[in-house]
């Protein structure tokens, strides 16, 4: 009986790591990936999985390092760029202006590759929002919502972009749409209170 291929071993490893992560044990999932043979660690999918786990754990340097390597290994996969962009965006939120600009570049490339999921557009929109490109951000969120009308992060950030543009009634309508899908979304609840207060205080 022949030994399973490296690809088969990788698929089994990633399946086990995903199961551990879904059970809430990211540490065990990371340890499982770290114990893999070096040949498996060379795959872009391994680097993507490891970088994504590091990102979820708040270890941004490891996340960026592994996701950069995943993109380098498999540059045609837009989701790899999307997660790299998200990690760079988080670094930008923590004050790294260079990482924020790099996030925008990476995410623009991810969107040019026509991703199948809305996250690339949502992340690009968030980067543009942070860089005060409000109309560009809004266009990205609308593109994401065209792919998935119930995508909560896109709805939330669309509301934020509309608020910054001074389009308060549209912002409130977007937040209300989000809350109709998830009434316990605390950030949206807080945003709605602020919008209602602003609208009530506005001259009539």
């Amino acid at each position: 009986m022949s030994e399973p291929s490296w690809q088969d071993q990788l698929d089994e490893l990633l399946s086990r790591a995903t199961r551990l992560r879904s059970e809430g044990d990211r540490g065990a999932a990371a340890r499982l990936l770290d114990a893999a043979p070096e040949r498996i660690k060379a795959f872009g999918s391994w680097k993507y999985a490891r970088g994504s786990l590091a990102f979820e754990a708040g270890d941004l340097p490891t996340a960026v390092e592994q996701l950069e390597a995943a993109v380098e290994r498999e540059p045609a996969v837009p989701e790899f760029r999307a997660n790299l962009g998200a990690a760079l965006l988080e670094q930008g939120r923590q004050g790294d202006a260079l990482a924020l600009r790099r996030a925008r570049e990476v995410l623009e490339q991810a969107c040019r590759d026509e991703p199948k999921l809305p996250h690339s557009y949502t992340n690009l929109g968030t980067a543009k929002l942070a860089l005060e490109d409000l109309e560009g951000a809004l266009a990205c969120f609308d593109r994401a919502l065209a792919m998935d009308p119930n995508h909560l992060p896109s709805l939330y950030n669309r509301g934020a972009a509309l608020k910054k543009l001074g389009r308060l009634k549209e912002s409130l309508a977007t937040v209300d749409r989000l809350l109709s899908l998830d009434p316990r979304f605390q950030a949206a609840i807080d945003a709605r209170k602020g919008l209602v207060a602003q609208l009530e205080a506005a001259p009539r």
Side-chain angles (χ1 to χ4, degrees):
M1 186 174 179
S2 61
E3 289 288 325
S5 68
W6 288 114
Q7 183 64 57
D8 288 342
Q9 292 181 56
L10 172 65
D11 291 344
E12 170 63 20
L13 179 72
L14 294 179
S15 176
R16 291 167 59 197
T18 299
R19 186 165 58 252
L20 287 168
R21 176 179 168 274
S22 68
E23 292 170 354
D25 197 344
R26 286 196 297 261
R31 290 190 295 275
L32 179 66
L33 292 175
D34 289 342
E38 292 302 317
R39 179 66 182 83
I40 286 181
K41 290 181 181 180
F43 282 84
S45 297
W46 182 93
K47 296 180 183 300
Y48 172 73
R50 188 65 186 87
S52 297
L53 277 172
F55 182 37
E56 291 176 4
D59 182 358
L60 293 179
T62 299
V64 170
E65 177 186 6
Q66 293 297 342
L67 292 168
E68 287 271 21
V71 169
E72 184 177 345
R73 291 285 299 178
E74 299 183 41
V77 182
E79 285 72 25
F80 289 7
R81 292 185 190 276
N83 270 29
L84 171 59
L88 289 165
L89 179 58
E90 189 58 35
Q91 285 189 325
R93 284 175 171 153
Q94 295 182 10
D96 188 336
L98 182 61
L100 185 58
R101 291 193 295 272
R102 170 82 173 124
R104 179 171 178 163
E105 293 170 4
V106 167
L107 291 164
E108 284 176 340
Q109 180 60 57
C111 292
R112 282 195 292 270
D113 292 339
E114 299 185 358
K116 296 179 176 62
L117 298 173
H119 304 83
S120 297
Y121 294 103
T122 305
N123 291 343
L124 177 57
T126 305
K128 289 186 176 186
L129 193 60
L131 291 165
E132 297 299 323
D133 178 4
L134 304 181
E135 293 288 355
L138 187 60
C140 288
F141 300 135
D142 285 343
R143 180 67 182 272
L145 290 165
M147 300 174 76
D148 179 1
N150 297 333
H151 193 242
L152 300 184
S154 296
L155 285 167
Y156 178 75
N157 286 298
R158 183 178 192 273
L162 287 166
K163 180 180 178 181
K164 283 195 170 189
L165 285 164
R167 294 158 60 177
L168 300 183
K169 290 183 180 179
E170 292 175 74
S171 178
L172 180 60
T174 300
V175 171
D176 281 342
R177 163 71 177 153
L178 188 164
L179 289 172
S180 73
L181 298 168
D182 183 358
R184 295 181 293 180
F185 196 120
Q186 189 58 51
I189 293 170
D190 295 340
R192 190 183 193 285
K193 290 177 182 176
L195 285 164
V196 169
Q198 280 188 263
L199 284 166
E200 289 177 347
R204 300 192 183 275

